[in-house]
Amino acid sequence: MKNRPCSPVQFLLFLLMTILLTHGTVFSAERPEKILISGGTAGGAWGAVTEGVAEALRQSLSGTMVSTTPGTDATNFMRLEKSACDLALGVSSTGLRAIDGKDPFKEKAKNIRGITALFEEPFQFVILDKTGIKDFADIKSRNYPLRHSPNKKGNFMEILCEEVFRQYGFDNKVLESWGGKIFYNSYSESINLLRSGSLDSLSGCSPIPTTQFQELSGTHEVSILPLSEAVIDFLNKEFGTQKMVIHASAYKFLKSDVPTVAARNILACKADLPDDLVYEITKALHEKNAFLSGIHVVLKGMNPGFMADLGGIPLHPGAEKFYKEIGVLK
């Protein structure tokens, strides 16, 4: 029996099926079956946000397994650069330092792209009232032997704190020459040292209100030191931070508003993730806004305009495409 020549309609159907099958093959080859997010440790805001983002993606990306691993700000960007993870939480200012090859990074990073801004955390310098320090200038004028914890060494919070000191005329070494001491501890470790009388102050970037500071104020009289407008302007230019005011209503122990700077926390990805996958991730996080808001109070500000502003981190093309589609980018 001879084969009959196919009709034009049959030929077009065959051609269409070939294109669809080919496209499907390419897509499945490029799209990873697993996505690893390097985020924060359990117990803090970063840990909760990491798991919230992961769950939002699990609900939206069928056929893709999403897992998480604990990390820190600088570590997460290092992992992205080495392709040791697919997505990472971090501070945009730290990401910019990685891209520029500034401390604590040894080389310029080329594998970092942005997906979405997540939330902002203001710089808070909490100090015991019994020190008599009302302003950073007081520390310098009195050559005060301050025992201070700027959080863990090498992360953005520690780098930011020492730059604040420099803007007021001293640094960590000068502080220690006055009899002071720098402790590189986490919030929880520093709170314990404050309670025991071994520490005068601690600083870092964290949500408003920070629970540990509220609890500390129940047993100790504390304040948050303000930054001057000149210092705020310098820090914003140097680190890509934004001015923020901590209103007196945020904490019972505050007597007035506190001007400071805020670090923008973002979700970044490695540059070679497929455009269509990053598009889906960005879209999923946008559509899961209500879900994410219920995960942690810091995520309540994830409106489209905020999401697309990553503090100078270059957007991944897939994310950029989505933001253009919804009209927040031209």
Side-chain angles (χ1 to χ4, degrees), residues 59 99 118 126 158 230 271:
Q59 295 176 14
I99 291 170
L118 293 167
V126 178
E158 183 264 330

Side-chain angles (χ1 to χ4, degrees), residues 186-196 202 212-213 216:
S186 65
Y187 273 170
S188 58
E189 293 169 324
S190 296
I191 292 290
N192 289 334
L193 289 175
L194 275 166
R195 292 187 187 281
S196 68
L202 63 87
Q212 293 101 317
F213 301 164
L216 177 65

Side-chain angles (χ1 to χ4, degrees), residues 87 113-117 267-269 271 273-286 304 307-310 313-329:
L87 308 177
R113 297 294 183 272
I115 293 180
T116 181
L267 180 69
C269 66
L273 275 188
D275 291 3
D276 52 2
L277 174 60
V278 176
Y279 175 91
E280 286 184 62
I281 290 172
T282 314
K283 182 180 180 181
L285 296 176
H286 170 66
M307 291 176 66
D309 184 0
L310 281 83
I313 299 294
L315 279 170
H316 189 286
E320 185 177 10
K321 178 184 177 182
F322 176 76
Y323 291 130
K324 285 181 177 179
E325 280 188 7
I326 64 174
V328 295
L329 290 180

Side-chain angles (χ1 to χ4, degrees), residues 46 71-74 91 93-94 97 103-104 121-125 148-165 172 182-187 202-207 210 213 235 239 241 261-263 265:
W46 274 39
T72 61
D73 183 26
V91 178
S93 302
T94 306
R97 296 183 75 83
D103 188 52
E121 291 182 312
F123 175 71
Q124 302 181 70
F125 195 101
H148 178 71
S149 172
N151 214 275
K152 296 287 189 178
K153 189 173 180 59
N155 69 20
F156 173 68
M157 294 183 283
E158 183 264 330
I159 292 169
L160 176 63
C161 180
E162 187 161 21
E163 189 56 56
V164 168
F165 287 168
N172 290 348
I182 300 297
F183 295 78
Y184 297 103
N185 296 323
S186 65
Y187 273 170
L202 63 87
S203 64
C205 298
S206 54
T210 299
F213 301 164
L235 296 175
F239 296 111
T241 50
V261 296
N265 291 269

